[in-house]
């Protein structure tokens, strides 16, 4: 919008000035510029005129757009790239009210956001009182934290997001609690909140403990030995990559056996070389009792077994089950995959890392604030078999909701559905709503205006394609050469 200049004259001095006995008169000029807003493809695009700010940074998921003098074309190009990515993957970061939701890279003094993970296995005598203490501290300090904090008789397990200073303040406070002084926490860069809200409750630390709450998980000697990322890397070289099934090396020494104690879809996103795909869709399905982990039925109980998971808690807890089953040489990766990738890099690692927050997947360098390309996945596209990219999608058909990986072409082609049949379903999810989350499933009705609009748009597109095919076939039959398709400008291509 063009700048508007107004000149106003004001008299100061109260009644004395009005009566001519005193006071003073001054004139000042103000120049105001209004940001222009326009709606395109259902997503707002804002540009900022000179006079208010020279440059404004907008953080959109993993894309940082600079808007300012002489940068309009660049802004449009990157903006469209973000829109396409968001509408096909669902990876959008939650914005904190009143803040830019970025990682501290924007204009001004915005907070540096992070994701924090930690767990601590220790006997808690009164989990209800411990919960009240946490709730009281968070309420009193008014920290901008979102995520999950589970407190039980076995300790605490948390995945959080928020300004780094707030997250660290909370973790440091927990370390002042009785028995929690040895708690270790880690932070990872993030563009904004990765969770929609904060949940603090009494609940089993992991799903397996819902049915097996008597496991001795708080006794270190009953769990596996923790090894540093450096030592883990050396042990991986002994495993021998994808040829780990032999059991012994040339000297007759038993080689370590590598197992992935996560879910099957996490393995599909990325895993260590040499680890076979788990058969479990949920950790609670992991074999317990007399039934041993997949493929270990005939394994020598003396053979070294390396166990890993995302942050360390699942393999730490499951190692107590394997101890009971007679496995003696158990090793877990200290801090999990995240700690290894941070300390040792991506050597011996394949693909990206699945995470349980709105990001759903992060690159091996773990910095979600970097816009450095797509996220590779290990497993192929579930639709066409081509190379897939993370993160996973839940099928847009509400009655299917299948979790799957897809390639860049199949995501928009099938409207976020897992197959062509699901694209014709009566209940398809709306486009991404606030903070990158879909509405609750029970809010979708067949009479919903948005669903009707989607259906009309889909039918119109199919009719347009049908007419083009008919015209091309007719022209070919009559020997008419149709004009070549006009190419669009480069900056509009994504």
């Amino acid at each position: 919008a063009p700048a508007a200049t107004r000149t106003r004259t004001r008299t100061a001095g109260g009644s004395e000035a009005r009566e001519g006995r005193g006071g003073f008169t001054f004139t000042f000029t103000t120049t105001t510029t209004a940001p222009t807003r326009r709606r395109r493809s259902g997503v707002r695009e804002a540009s900022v005129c000179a006079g208010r700010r020279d440059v404004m940074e907008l953080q959109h998921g993993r894309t940082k757009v600079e808007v300012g003098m002489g940068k309009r074309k660049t802004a449009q190009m990157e903006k469209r790239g973000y829109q396409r990515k968001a509408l096909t993957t669902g990876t959008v970061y939650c914005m904190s009210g009143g803040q830019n939701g970025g990682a501290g890279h924007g204009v001004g003094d915005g907070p540096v956001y992070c994701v924090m993970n930690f767990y601590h296995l220790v006997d808690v005598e009164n989990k209800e009182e411990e919960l009240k203490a946490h709730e009281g501290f968070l309420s009193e300090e008014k920290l901008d934290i979102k995520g999950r904090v589970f407190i039980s008789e076995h300790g605490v397990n948390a995945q959080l997001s928020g300004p780094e200073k707030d997250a660290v303040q909370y973790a440091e406070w927990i370390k002042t609690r009785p028995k929690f002084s040895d708690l270790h926490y880690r932070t990872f860069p993030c563009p904004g909140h990765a969770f929609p809200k904060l949940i603090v409750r009494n609940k089993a630390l992991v799903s397996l403990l819902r049915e097996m709450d008597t496991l001795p998980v708080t006794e270190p000697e009953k769990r596996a030995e923790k090894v540093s990322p450096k030592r883990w890397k050396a042990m991986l070289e002994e495993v021998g990559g994808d040829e780990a099934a032999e059991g012994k090396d040339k000297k007759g020494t038993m080689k370590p056996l590598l197992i992935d104690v996560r879910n099957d879809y996490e393995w599909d996103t990325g895993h260590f070389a040499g680890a076979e795909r788990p058969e479990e869709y949920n950790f609670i399905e992991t074999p317990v009792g007399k039934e041993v982990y997949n493929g270990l039925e005939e394994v020598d109980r003396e053979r070294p077994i390396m166990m890993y998971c995302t942050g360390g808690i699942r393999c730490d807890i499951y190692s107590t089950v394997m101890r009971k089953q007679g496995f003696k040489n158990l090793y877990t990766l200290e801090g999990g995959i995240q700690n290894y990738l941070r300390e040792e890099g991506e050597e011996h690692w394949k693909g990206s890392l699945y995470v349980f927050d709105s990001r759903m997947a992060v690159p091996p360098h773990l910095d979600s604030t970097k816009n450095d390309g797509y996220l590779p996945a290990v497993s192929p596209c579930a639709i066409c078999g081509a190379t897939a990219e993370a993160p996973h999608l839940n099928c847009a058909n509400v009655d299917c909701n299948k979790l799957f990986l897809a390639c860049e072409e199949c995501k928009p082609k099938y409207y976020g559905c897992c197959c062509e049949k699901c694209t014709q379903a009566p209940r398809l999810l709306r486009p991404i709503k606030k903070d990158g989350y879909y509405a609750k499933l029970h809010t979708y009705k067949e009479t919903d205006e948005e669903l009707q609009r989607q259906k009309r748009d889909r039918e119109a597109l199919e009719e347009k394609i049908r007419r083009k095919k008919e015209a091309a076939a007719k022209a070919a039959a009559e020997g008419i050469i149709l004009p070549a398709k006009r190419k669009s400008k480069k900056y509009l291509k994504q």
Side-chain angles (χ1 to χ4, degrees):
T5 303
R6 295 180 296 175
T7 303
R8 293 186 291 174
T9 302
R10 179 178 297 174
T11 301
S15 59
E16 294 182 353
R18 288 193 294 272
E19 295 174 6
R21 298 196 306 272
F24 58 91
T25 301
F26 62 93
T27 301
F28 63 96
T29 301
T30 60
T31 302
T32 61
T33 59
T36 61
R37 293 184 180 273
R38 58 180 178 172
R39 188 171 294 275
R40 185 180 182 89
S41 302
V43 182
R44 282 186 177 179
E45 178 175 339
S47 61
V48 180
C49 301
R52 173 70 64 85
R53 286 179 184 172
D54 291 333
V55 177
M56 181 175 77
E57 290 184 342
L58 300 176
Q59 190 75 33
H60 294 296
R62 297 180 331 187
T63 302
K64 183 166 60 179
V65 183
E66 290 187 354
V67 185
M69 293 292 291
K71 299 180 180 179
R72 187 166 183 174
K73 295 300 182 185
T74 303
Q76 289 178 342
M77 182 175 64
E78 295 196 19
K79 186 76 174 184
R80 289 192 180 98
Y82 157 70
Q83 292 172 9
R84 176 180 59 79
K85 189 78 172 177
L87 292 175
T88 57
T89 67
T91 304
V92 176
Y93 299 96
C94 311
M95 301 304 177
S96 179
Q99 296 166 339
N100 67 354
H105 304 297
V107 175
D109 299 324
V112 177
Y113 277 76
C114 73
V115 169
M116 173 181 285
N117 302 317
F118 61 81
Y119 73 95
H120 194 58
L121 300 176
V122 64
D123 290 318
V124 177
E125 296 179 0
N126 192 326
K127 61 182 181 181
E128 289 80 13
E129 289 298 323
E130 188 67 25
L131 174 63
K132 290 180 180 179
H134 283 249
E135 292 176 333
F137 174 80
L138 292 170
S139 176
E140 180 180 347
E141 296 297 327
K142 294 181 171 54
L143 302 179
D144 182 18
I145 289 178
K146 297 180 182 181
R148 300 180 291 263
V149 181
F150 297 155
I151 301 170
S152 76
E153 63 273 19
H154 300 124
V156 63
N157 183 22
Q159 297 85 41
L160 307 168
S161 68
E164 188 170 2
K165 63 179 184 64
D166 288 2
V168 170
Q169 182 179 348
Y170 178 47
E172 289 294 333
W173 173 81
I174 296 178
K175 294 179 68 173
T176 65
R177 302 289 299 164
K179 299 183 179 181
F180 285 91
S181 59
D182 294 334
L183 180 141
H184 296 282
Y185 59 86
R186 296 173 179 85
T187 61
F188 305 93
C190 187
H193 274 298
F195 299 91
K197 59 184 177 180
L198 176 63
I199 299 175
V200 184
R201 64 176 59 165
N202 286 136
K203 187 176 179 178
L205 304 188
V206 295
S207 58
L208 188 65
L209 290 177
R210 297 176 197 166
E211 299 180 356
M212 302 189 67
D213 56 358
T214 59
L215 287 174
V217 297
T218 59
E219 302 177 35
E221 65 277 5
K222 300 293 181 65
R223 304 197 301 262
E225 177 185 347
K226 289 186 178 182
V227 299
S228 66
K230 184 176 182 180
R231 184 182 172 191
W232 182 269
K233 182 179 179 180
M235 295 176 70
L236 286 175
E237 295 174 355
E238 296 179 18
V239 170
D242 294 318
E243 301 175 355
E246 293 297 329
K248 293 185 179 181
D249 58 19
K250 295 180 179 180
K251 298 180 180 180
T253 305
M254 285 188 290
K255 297 166 61 176
L257 179 64
L258 183 65
I259 62 174
D260 192 323
V261 195
R262 299 179 300 162
N263 304 324
D264 53 8
Y265 54 86
E266 295 178 75
W267 186 95
D268 293 340
T269 300
H271 59 262
F272 280 113
E276 294 187 2
R277 189 176 190 266
E279 296 182 2
E280 293 75 31
Y281 183 79
N282 193 303
F283 183 54
I284 199 172
E285 301 171 359
T286 309
V288 295
K290 295 182 179 180
E291 184 182 2
V292 300
Y293 187 83
N294 308 312
L296 301 186
E297 294 83 359
E298 305 299 328
V299 173
D300 191 327
R301 295 301 191 265
E302 297 286 343
R303 184 175 179 180
I305 296 179
M306 301 167 60
M307 313 165 61
Y308 73 89
C309 55
T310 306
I313 186 170
R314 283 180 284 181
C315 48
D316 217 4
I317 287 176
Y318 190 64
S319 66
T320 62
V321 175
M322 297 188 67
R323 285 283 191 202
K324 284 188 172 183
Q325 294 172 340
F327 293 96
K328 299 178 180 180
N329 297 315
L330 300 175
Y331 303 91
T332 58
L333 175 57
E334 183 179 14
I337 303 168
Q338 293 175 325
N339 193 32
Y340 176 88
L341 293 175
R342 166 177 283 180
E343 297 293 330
E344 299 297 329
E346 54 186 293
E347 188 174 356
H348 301 294
W349 179 260
K350 296 181 177 181
S352 305
L353 176 62
Y354 189 100
V355 291
F356 288 93
D357 54 51
S358 66
R359 301 171 300 170
M360 292 187 73
V362 293
H365 55 65
L366 305 177
D367 190 347
S368 301
T369 64
K370 294 181 180 179
N371 182 27
D372 53 2
Y374 78 108
L375 297 169
V378 175
S379 294
C381 173
I383 301 174
C384 70
T387 302
E389 65 174 15
H392 281 72
L393 293 176
N394 281 94
C395 181
N397 176 10
V398 176
D399 300 308
C400 176
N401 200 41
K402 177 183 177 181
L403 188 68
F404 68 102
L405 283 168
C407 64
E408 187 176 358
E409 293 183 1
C410 288
K411 288 178 181 179
K413 180 179 179 180
Y414 292 92
Y415 310 103
C417 294
C418 66
C419 61
E420 186 174 359
K421 182 180 179 180
C422 282
T423 63
Q424 306 299 324
R427 298 198 302 165
L428 293 180
L429 288 171
R430 295 184 179 94
I432 293 172
K433 300 174 74 68
K434 181 181 178 183
D435 293 343
Y437 286 86
Y438 295 118
K440 298 295 184 181
L441 297 184
H442 68 265
T443 65
Y444 295 100
K445 301 179 181 178
E446 294 185 12
T447 58
D448 191 345
E449 293 181 2
E450 179 62 29
L451 294 179
Q452 295 297 325
R453 184 195 65 77
Q454 288 184 16
K455 184 178 180 180
R456 290 193 300 269
D457 290 348
R458 189 165 60 250
E459 291 175 349
L461 178 61
E462 291 173 352
E463 179 64 18
K464 183 178 179 181
I465 294 173
R466 186 186 65 79
R467 289 180 180 179
K468 283 186 176 181
K469 288 182 178 179
E470 287 181 355
K474 184 177 180 181
E478 297 177 359
I480 301 174
I481 300 177
L482 297 176
K485 184 178 179 182
R486 187 175 62 181
K487 295 183 179 180
S488 59
K489 294 182 179 180
K490 289 184 178 180
Y491 73 86
L492 292 177
K493 288 189 174 182
Q494 294 294 326

